[in-house]
Every structure is written in C-alpha cells, then in structure tokens.
Amino acid sequence: MGRSRIWSQLPRLTFWKAVLVLLWVVGAYVAVVRFTKGLGAVTNLRDDFPWGLWIGFDVLCGVALAAGGFTVAALVYIFDAGKKYHAITRPTILTAFLGYLLVIVALLFDLGRPWNIWHPIIMWNHHSVMFEVAWCVMLYTAVLALEFSPVVFERLNWQAPLRLIRSLTIVLVVAGVLLSTLHQSSLGSLYLIVPQKMHPLWYSPWLPLLFFISAVGVGLAMTIFESFLSHRAFRRELELDVLTGLARGVILVQAIYLTLRFLDLANRGVIGHAFQPSREAGLFWLETLLMSGVPMVLYSMPKLVVQRNWLFYGAVCNVLGLVMNRLNVSITALERWGGAYFPKWQEIVITATLVATGFFVFEWVAKNFPVFPREMAAEEAGGRAEGEVSYAQAM
C-alpha cells in the first residue's frame, strides 16, 4: 500500500479534533500526577475549602444538565405530551447517560481515596445525604443504560432482549423519575449543614426544592441545546414545534423558580443583600438574568420562539445561568468563610477533557447507532449526507 493511499485513509484532522487530542494528552498527564501525587499536586483545594471546580461543575452542573433524560421521558411516557416528542427521546437519554458516566469519572478525580468509591454499596449510612446521592446516581445510571439499550439491540438486531426491555419501558421511566427527584434535590441538601458558612443569597432551607425545579428547567433547555447542535452536526430536520413546546415549559418552570427564589429571600429577610454594591450581588443578578430572565423574555415573544436561533440563544442562557447558580452555591457562597478559591489549570484541563470527551462519544454513538431513527432510515436509503460537520464544529 502506497504512502499516499495510507494518508488518504487516515481521519481528516480538523481544528476541533486537534483540540480534542491535545486535551486527551494533557489530561492523561494530569491524571497520572493526580493519582500518583494526590489532590494537592493538581488542585487549589485545602482543608477549609475541600470542594472546588470538580464538585461544583463536574458533579453539581453535570447532574443538573443531564436532567433532560428524566424530564423528557416523563413528558412522553407518563404525561403523554404527544407523539411528536418521541423523536427527541433517544438523543436526550443518550445525553443523560453520558452525563452521568462523566459525573462518576469526575468523582474518581475528586475523591481523596478513589479506590473506596464502592464503599456505599456495602457500608450503609442511612443518616448521610451523600449515601443517598451515591445510591441514586448508581441506580439511575443503570436505569439510563437500560433505557438506552433498545438502540443497541436494534443495531445488533437482537429481537428477544429488545421485546423484553420495551415491555419494561414504563417501569424504567417511573424508576428514573423517582431516583432523579431524590438525588437532584439531595445535591442541594448537601449544603444545608453549613448555613453559617454560606452567603445569605445562596443558603436557603429551600435549596433541595430550588435545585430540583432548576434541574427540570435546564433539562428542557438542554434538550433544545442538544437538538440544535444535532441539527447542525448531522443535517437533521429541526422539530421546531417540539422545541417550541419545550420553550413554553421553560417559561412555566422558570416562573415557578423565580417566585420561590424571591419569596425565600424575602421570608428570610436577606433580600437586601441583592441590592448592595458587592461582587456577590452582581453574580446573583447575572445568574438570575441568564437562568430565568432572558429565556423567559425570549420564549414569551411569538416571533422569536419559533425561530431556531433564538430558541438556541435562550437555551444557552438558561444553561449558563444554571452553571453560574451551581458554582455560586458551591464556591462563591463559601468564599466568605473559607477564603478565595480559583482552580489550578490542571483542574480546568480535567473538566475540559471530560466535556470534550462527552461531545466526542455522543457524536460517535449517533453516527453508529440508530439514535435518530428517521435519519438512519434515510441514510440507509440514500447514503450519508454531504457536507456533514463534526458535533464540536456545530457549536
């Protein structure tokens, strides 16, 4: 085989592929240092600030951003929102499944003794919120694997297990909703034990409820976000009527969230902190505008809510606001007690590597399994569409 033929058969190296390979190389180096020299070698964590970027972003944000899995499944199979929503079920569950797998990987980096991650399986502590979160995450990841398994069985043409798992669909969906409700709220409960250490704008006895409601809202927004990227990457038809329905759901959920958020601040008598000239007040208003204000305004305008670009912009704002909220709860609110914290570059590299790997795996699975049934059928009939771009390029 000639050298020119070998070069022609190698995958084309694009900018985003080069970035991904670079992240994998640097991330592998950081991982080796982390697991051989400990957390202190690669993080700015310390005794008075034990949780940083890996818990605040990789775990809290990762779990919330994967909420589309149980939200859309409940809409389709429990609330019977309509057949049109079936088209987005598989990619949404795939996104949630990958999100939870990456959360588990991130936990391995953050745990001081990662080899003990299995302890909650046999060492039960019924009084620990972390025990409940650990079990719920393990069980829900297993449920997501089963919910996604029909895609694999269809690809392999395994009819018997396919019929069996389809007969269990409602059971799996109900289990997924129950488990998600428990651990999405319990992640907020983790911070109820440190009221004296948190800034009043983010500590609240209602944190579990606020965490759950905001997760439902961002689950709908993430579905819009993922659908838009899939439309760009795979040249898929964008289900505008479906996304418009989800956008209306975002308005409703964010209205409930905002009402509870400000009622809580007023009832505790701390709403004045939001109007003080402080960094915390600025971050609070930016978080509120991004997560609730901008999406509600955009999605309330009839001319904008039917345009795919504005749907995407609203979803991006909601996602960024949710990320700010979780980082404010886990980092900003605690800096008044534990001192300033900013992650080392190694922490940022691991987080970026996990996110980039999630995009890569989603793209690979979507290309090789019937995640988008209609497009797969069309592809088999007419060959792959020309001009296809990578998932990262679609951003």
Side-chain angles (χ1 to χ4, degrees), residues 171-187:
V171 175
L172 293 173
V173 170
V174 172
V177 171
L178 178 62
L179 292 168
S180 297
T181 303
L182 288 172
H183 71 264
Q184 291 283 359
S185 57
S186 294
L187 287 173

Side-chain angles (χ1 to χ4, degrees), residues 311-322:
L311 282 166
F312 178 69
Y313 298 150
V316 169
C317 288
N318 194 191
V319 170
L320 291 177
L322 185 284

Side-chain angles (χ1 to χ4, degrees), residues 204 206 256-269 271:
S204 166
W206 293 2
I256 296 172
Y257 176 83
L258 269 185
T259 303
L260 291 175
R261 186 85 164 92
F262 281 91
L263 275 176
D264 169 59
L265 292 172
N267 286 337
R268 289 187 292 114
I271 197 168

Side-chain angles (χ1 to χ4, degrees), residues 148-162 364 368-370 380:
F148 189 70
S149 63
V151 176
V152 179
F153 295 147
E154 282 183 17
R155 180 71 174 80
L156 301 174
N157 197 26
W158 291 358
Q159 295 302 320
L162 181 60
W364 184 85
N368 291 280
F369 290 85
E380 291 172 0

Side-chain angles (χ1 to χ4, degrees), residues 251 292-302 304:
I251 296 175
S292 306
V294 175
M296 289 177 69
V297 171
L298 291 181
Y299 293 161
S300 299
M301 303 178 77
L304 299 186

Side-chain angles (χ1 to χ4, degrees), residues 159-210:
Q159 295 302 320
L162 181 60
R163 286 193 294 272
L164 174 63
I165 205 70
R166 281 179 173 169
S167 68
L168 299 173
T169 297
I170 294 299
V171 175
L172 293 173
V173 170
V174 172
V177 171
L178 178 62
L179 292 168
S180 297
T181 303
L182 288 172
H183 71 264
Q184 291 283 359
S185 57
S186 294
L187 287 173
S189 302
L190 289 174
Y191 294 88
L192 294 182
I193 62 174
V194 288
Q196 74 283 3
K197 297 180 180 178
M198 294 185 67
H199 193 282
L201 286 176
W202 288 286
Y203 170 76
S204 166
W206 293 2
L207 264 179
L209 179 62
L210 294 173

Side-chain angles (χ1 to χ4, degrees), residues 39-340:
L39 286 169
V42 295
T43 72
N44 275 332
L45 300 177
R46 51 188 189 271
D47 289 343
D48 55 359
F49 216 111
W51 287 356
L53 182 68
W54 290 343
I55 292 297
F57 184 87
D58 298 4
V59 176
L60 296 188
C61 296
V63 169
L65 296 177
F70 85 89
T71 306
V72 172
L75 278 176
V76 172
Y77 295 107
I78 296 179
F79 298 107
D80 195 19
K83 291 184 178 179
K84 62 182 182 181
Y85 290 98
H86 281 262
I88 58 173
T89 304
R90 286 186 171 185
T92 304
I93 289 177
L94 173 59
T95 303
F97 183 40
L98 294 177
Y100 274 80
L101 291 179
L102 293 176
V103 164
I104 294 172
V105 174
L107 266 180
L108 289 172
F109 277 90
D110 192 78
L111 289 174
R113 296 177 179 179
W115 52 88
N116 290 336
I117 194 172
W118 56 274
H119 276 191
I121 298 176
I122 61 170
M123 300 178 183
W124 288 28
N125 182 356
H126 306 89
H127 303 289
S128 171
V129 175
M130 295 181 73
F131 170 75
E132 184 215 331
V133 172
W135 264 95
C136 284
V137 169
M138 284 189 290
L139 292 174
Y140 186 49
T141 305
V143 167
L144 284 170
L146 291 172
E147 287 182 329
F148 189 70
S149 63
V151 176
V152 179
F153 295 147
E154 282 183 17
R155 180 71 174 80
L156 301 174
N157 197 26
W158 291 358
Q159 295 302 320
L162 181 60
R163 286 193 294 272
L164 174 63
I165 205 70
R166 281 179 173 169
S167 68
L168 299 173
T169 297
I170 294 299
V171 175
L172 293 173
V173 170
V174 172
V177 171
L178 178 62
L179 292 168
S180 297
T181 303
L182 288 172
H183 71 264
Q184 291 283 359
S185 57
S186 294
L187 287 173
S189 302
L190 289 174
Y191 294 88
L192 294 182
I193 62 174
V194 288
Q196 74 283 3
K197 297 180 180 178
M198 294 185 67
H199 193 282
L201 286 176
W202 288 286
Y203 170 76
S204 166
W206 293 2
L207 264 179
L209 179 62
L210 294 173
F211 262 48
F212 175 72
I213 295 175
S214 57
V216 172
V218 84
L220 300 174
M222 270 299 290
T223 305
I224 297 174
F225 179 83
E226 175 269 320
S227 297
F228 183 87
L229 294 187
S230 297
H231 155 73
R232 293 284 304 276
F234 305 116
R235 296 291 187 261
R236 294 184 59 246
E237 178 186 354
L238 199 60
E239 303 90 352
L240 276 177
D241 56 335
V242 173
L243 303 189
T244 301
L246 296 179
R248 294 193 180 99
V250 171
I251 296 175
L252 175 63
V253 174
Q254 291 305 326
I256 296 172
Y257 176 83
L258 269 185
T259 303
L260 291 175
R261 186 85 164 92
F262 281 91
L263 275 176
D264 169 59
L265 292 172
N267 286 337
R268 289 187 292 114
V270 298
I271 197 168
H273 288 275
F275 300 99
Q276 294 177 356
S278 64
R279 182 176 71 101
E280 288 82 2
L283 290 172
F284 167 79
W285 285 112
L286 183 58
E287 165 199 317
T288 303
L289 283 174
L290 285 174
M291 187 160 71
S292 306
V294 175
M296 289 177 69
V297 171
L298 291 181
Y299 293 161
S300 299
M301 303 178 77
K303 289 185 179 179
L304 299 186
V305 77
V306 295
Q307 297 183 35
R308 61 188 184 190
N309 286 341
W310 288 108
L311 282 166
F312 178 69
Y313 298 150
V316 169
C317 288
N318 194 191
V319 170
L320 291 177
L322 185 284
V323 170
M324 280 199 67
N325 172 260
R326 297 304 193 259
L327 292 179
N328 283 334
V329 170
S330 60
I331 296 177
T332 306
L334 292 167
E335 285 183 323
R336 67 179 314 194
W337 180 83

